[in-house]
Amino acid sequence: AQNGKQEFTVGTGGTCVIGGSNAAGTCTVAVTFSPQYPGVRLGALAVNNGGGVVGTVGLAGIGTGPEVAQSPGSLTLYAGGGTSGSTAVTATPEPAVGATFSTPSNGDVLALDGAGNVYIADSNNCLAYKVSAATNKIVVIAGNYTYASGAVAPSTTPEPALGANICPQGIGVDSAGNVYIADA
């Protein structure tokens, strides 16, 4: 929903093909995405099986609603403070206002989750941050500030994000709260 207005409608019926003893299969159901605001809009639809979310589907559509009315307002500093540097690599949240960043300047360096938390990819500091909407505190969630150049060997073994050798160029969050980092 956007501003309390549901932006998609899930149709009824559809077709399902279930196969094998594990009941895996495919279901097709019509979804109409009607964005509230004009222009190309993106959204996500969570898919569940009655027992929990099993995936998300990205949606795109052209909004037909009226342009949002703009009125004079005020600007409030949310994070940072104009000084280049690095916020400490610690699991202890610190005030977001006054935090230091080096290069969060590309188009995909900010992401929001459903709770309003902000995620920041800072490529020069080799760190990814989360700013809590509830407390306006910032914490490093991935990276180590001492990036060592060279390829990181692929692994199927999960490793801690804090301390990972990354150079984040983009960041995103899905509807389940999973954070995705595009690593240069």
Side-chain angles (χ1 to χ4, degrees):
Q2 179 88 18
N3 290 341
K5 179 182 182 285
Q6 185 171 322
E7 295 190 317
F8 60 87
T9 305
V10 178
T12 58
T15 60
C16 289
V17 178
I18 308 299
S21 60
N22 64 359
T26 351
C27 288
T28 304
V29 178
V31 175
T32 303
F33 182 51
S34 304
Q36 180 177 356
Y37 297 117
V40 176
R41 305 274 296 154
L42 303 175
L45 178 66
V47 179
N48 73 48
N49 63 0
V53 174
V54 294
T56 58
V57 176
L59 302 173
I62 304 293
T64 57
E67 188 67 52
V68 179
Q70 301 293 323
S71 61
S74 60
L75 179 65
T76 303
L77 180 62
Y78 186 76
T83 303
S84 182
S86 171
T87 298
V89 181
T90 173
T92 304
E94 299 176 6
V97 173
T100 55
F101 306 104
S102 184
T103 314
S105 59
N106 297 326
D108 296 326
V109 297
L110 294 175
L112 291 164
D113 66 15
N117 300 310
V118 176
Y119 296 82
I120 303 167
D122 188 352
S123 59
N124 273 7
N125 281 334
C126 306
L127 297 170
Y129 308 93
K130 175 184 176 182
V131 179
S132 167
T135 65
N136 203 43
K137 300 269 182 157
I138 190 169
V139 65
V140 174
I141 59 169
N144 65 19
Y145 189 66
T146 56
Y147 179 78
S149 63
V152 176
S155 172
T156 56
T157 306
E159 298 179 21
L162 197 57
N165 192 36
I166 61 172
C167 185
Q169 297 293 304
I171 195 162
V173 184
D174 68 16
S175 63
N178 297 305
V179 177
Y180 300 88
I181 298 170
D183 180 18

